[in-house]
């Protein structure tokens, strides 16, 4: 990685107004243990007592840093990223501060969305190979940041993209992976975990955009509880033309999918519906789009809206529904064309 002392980078673009995943008023806390972890938490960040966690002051010995949203802490964040250590920013406007930190590293990175809600108060940058992967984490609404931080930290430390196979179009070999971005959220009726990945193919005249997501119903095992009812993935481009998109319309054991590419070949939509009882409790889906690029002029971006929907049947009354959106203009920065 180029030294941060020799890299001059502009600050990331200011945030645009928008909305994130709808959240709830529950008091759920972390679901994954942090026992055995070594973490640096700045004194300005409220953090609860967590059994087995070792809190230290040394960046060199930390597995992860938790910092407040302030320019005063950019230097320590950059030091940590140079060492390969993930950085979490916790507090108001966390996403824009993570963007600015990433922009100063000289690394490739993606922005999951330039639109977020006041609930999006946790963001992270995770070194991966020769790039940074950015995560936005949206805890339950109405709960204190202090209560939700252990959950968010464990999510960043243990993050793995969901596995989902797309046979057509195939993912071409080679190229430059611009990076992965994640939007992870919790709502009253369940959880969602969305990952986007962009790969620039070797000739740099085409790119592959892939979205994979898992959605579940949280503790709703009976017919009166909420269940997963639909996941919709819409990917739209301004300056790129869709060559192919998949999966195609089909009905499988686990789910059915309806796929369509717009007449102008600038938009692909995939709508997934569960076809089994297991899928109504938890379902992993995905879509891949190959686009041709008239010219490669960074940054590379697209509109990627994923809708997660839950439903609960009610006796003698209209069914109740719950929807969470992860909208916005996803953007990849920090790379240079070589062709």
């Amino acid at each position: 990685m180029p030294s941060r002392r020799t890299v001059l980078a502009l600050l990331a673009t200011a945030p645009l107004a928008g909305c994130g995943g709808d959240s709830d008023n529950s008091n759920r806390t972390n679901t994954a243990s942090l026992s055995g972890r070594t973490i640096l938490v700045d004194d300005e960040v409220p953090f609860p007592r967590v059994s087995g966690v070792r809190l230290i002051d040394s960046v060199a010995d930390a597995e992860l840093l938790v910092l407040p949203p302030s320019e005063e802490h950019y230097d320590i964040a950059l030091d940590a990223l140079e060492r390969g250590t993930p950085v979490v920013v916790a507090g108001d406007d966390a996403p824009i501060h993570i963007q600015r930190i990433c922009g100063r590293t000289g690394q490739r990175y993606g922005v999951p969305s330039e639109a977020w809600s006041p609930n999006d108060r946790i963001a992270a940058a995770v070194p991966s190979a020769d790039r940074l992967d950015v995560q936005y984490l949206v805890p339950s609404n109405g709960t204190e940041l202090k209560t939700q931080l252990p959950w968010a930290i464990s999510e960043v430390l243990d993050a793995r993209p969901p596995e989902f196979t797309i046979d057509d179009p195939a993912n071409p070999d080679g190229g430059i992976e611009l990076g992965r971005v994640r939007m992870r959220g919790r709502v009253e009726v369940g959880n969602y975990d969305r990952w986007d990945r962009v790969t620039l193919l070797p000739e740099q005249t085409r790119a592959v955009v892939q979205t994979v997501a898992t959605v579940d119903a949280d503790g709703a095992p009976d017919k009166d509880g909420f269940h997963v009812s639909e996941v919709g993935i819409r990917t739209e481009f301004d300056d790129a033309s869709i060559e192919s998109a998949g999966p195609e319309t089909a009905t499988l054991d686990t789910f059915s999918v309806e796929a369509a590419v717009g007449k102008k070949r600038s938009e692909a939509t995939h709508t997934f519906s569960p076809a089994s009882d297991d899928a109504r409790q938890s379902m992993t889906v995905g879509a891949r789009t190959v686009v041709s690029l008239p010219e490669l002029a960074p940054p590379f971006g697209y509109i990627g809206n994923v809708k997660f929907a839950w439903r609960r049947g009610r006796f003698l009354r209209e069914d109740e529904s719950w929807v969470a959106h992860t909208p916005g203009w996803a953007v990849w920065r920090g790379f240079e064309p070589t062709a």
Side-chain angles (χ1 to χ4, degrees):
M1 176 193 297
S3 170
R4 62 183 171 81
R5 297 174 180 85
T6 61
V7 175
L8 296 178
L10 295 175
L11 297 182
T13 306
L16 304 176
C19 63
D22 302 327
S23 299
D24 73 294
N25 295 312
S26 70
N27 290 313
R28 288 176 296 175
T29 58
N30 55 301
T31 56
S33 173
L34 287 176
S35 180
R37 299 291 194 175
T38 302
I39 301 170
L40 188 158
V41 181
D42 188 88
D43 291 339
E44 295 182 30
V45 178
F47 191 76
R49 291 180 178 270
V50 180
S51 177
V53 173
R54 183 184 173 204
L55 298 179
I56 61 173
D57 296 325
S58 169
V59 176
D61 297 326
E63 294 181 68
L64 177 143
L65 271 63
V66 185
L67 304 173
S70 168
E71 292 189 22
E72 295 178 2
H73 297 84
Y74 285 6
D75 282 345
I76 189 174
L78 293 168
D79 283 340
L81 294 175
E82 283 189 356
R83 295 173 184 271
T85 303
V87 171
V88 171
V89 174
D92 293 342
D93 297 323
I96 189 60
H97 287 279
I98 279 292
Q99 289 185 37
R100 290 171 175 168
I101 291 168
C102 289
R104 294 186 178 192
T105 65
Q107 290 280 66
R108 297 196 303 272
Y109 68 98
V111 176
S113 173
E114 290 194 329
W116 57 82
S117 77
N119 297 322
D120 300 342
R121 301 178 63 204
I122 305 175
V126 181
S128 178
D130 56 352
R131 65 176 194 273
L132 299 172
D133 293 341
V134 174
Q135 301 183 34
Y136 293 168
L137 299 108
V138 186
S140 304
N141 190 23
T143 55
E144 293 182 352
L145 182 64
K146 177 179 179 179
T147 303
Q148 295 292 351
L149 266 179
W151 164 79
I153 293 169
S154 65
E155 284 289 329
V156 173
L157 286 170
D158 299 326
R160 296 290 185 277
E163 294 185 2
F164 184 77
T165 300
I166 303 173
D167 295 324
D168 188 21
N171 194 18
D173 295 330
I176 301 173
E177 184 168 346
L178 298 188
R180 303 187 187 207
V181 296
R182 181 192 193 195
M183 299 186 77
R184 172 75 164 98
R186 315 178 82 175
V187 298
E188 181 178 349
V189 298
N191 306 276
Y192 60 85
D193 193 6
R194 168 195 175 174
W195 292 74
D196 282 30
R197 175 184 180 183
V198 171
T199 304
L200 183 64
L201 298 185
E203 69 276 14
Q204 300 194 10
T205 59
R206 295 189 301 158
V208 181
V209 175
Q210 179 170 300
T211 299
V212 179
T214 291
V215 59
D216 66 50
D218 184 33
D222 57 70
K223 64 181 181 181
D224 294 326
F226 278 92
H227 64 267
V228 177
S229 65
E230 184 180 280
V231 178
I233 300 176
R234 180 174 69 90
T235 311
E236 183 178 357
F237 304 89
D238 272 352
D239 300 319
S241 177
I242 295 175
E243 291 187 1
S244 55
E248 296 182 350
T249 298
T251 299
L252 306 176
D253 292 338
T254 304
F255 59 80
S256 63
V257 55
E258 294 184 5
V261 175
K263 291 182 179 180
K264 296 182 179 180
R265 303 201 67 81
S266 62
E267 177 182 339
T269 60
H270 291 81
T271 304
F272 301 85
S273 302
S276 69
D277 290 340
D278 288 344
R280 290 182 181 89
Q281 293 306 308
S282 180
M283 186 169 65
T284 297
V285 299
R288 178 181 295 139
T289 307
V290 180
V291 295
S292 60
L293 308 171
E295 62 178 334
L296 182 61
F300 173 80
Y302 56 88
I303 295 175
N305 184 32
V306 180
K307 180 184 75 172
F308 302 96
W310 296 261
R311 185 173 295 277
R312 178 172 64 182
R314 297 193 295 181
F315 185 65
L316 298 180
R317 287 190 294 172
E318 184 179 356
D319 287 356
E320 188 175 358
S321 62
W322 193 287
V323 176
H325 289 276
T326 57
W329 184 259
V331 178
W332 270 257
R333 305 179 187 276
F335 66 95
E336 294 293 336
T338 59

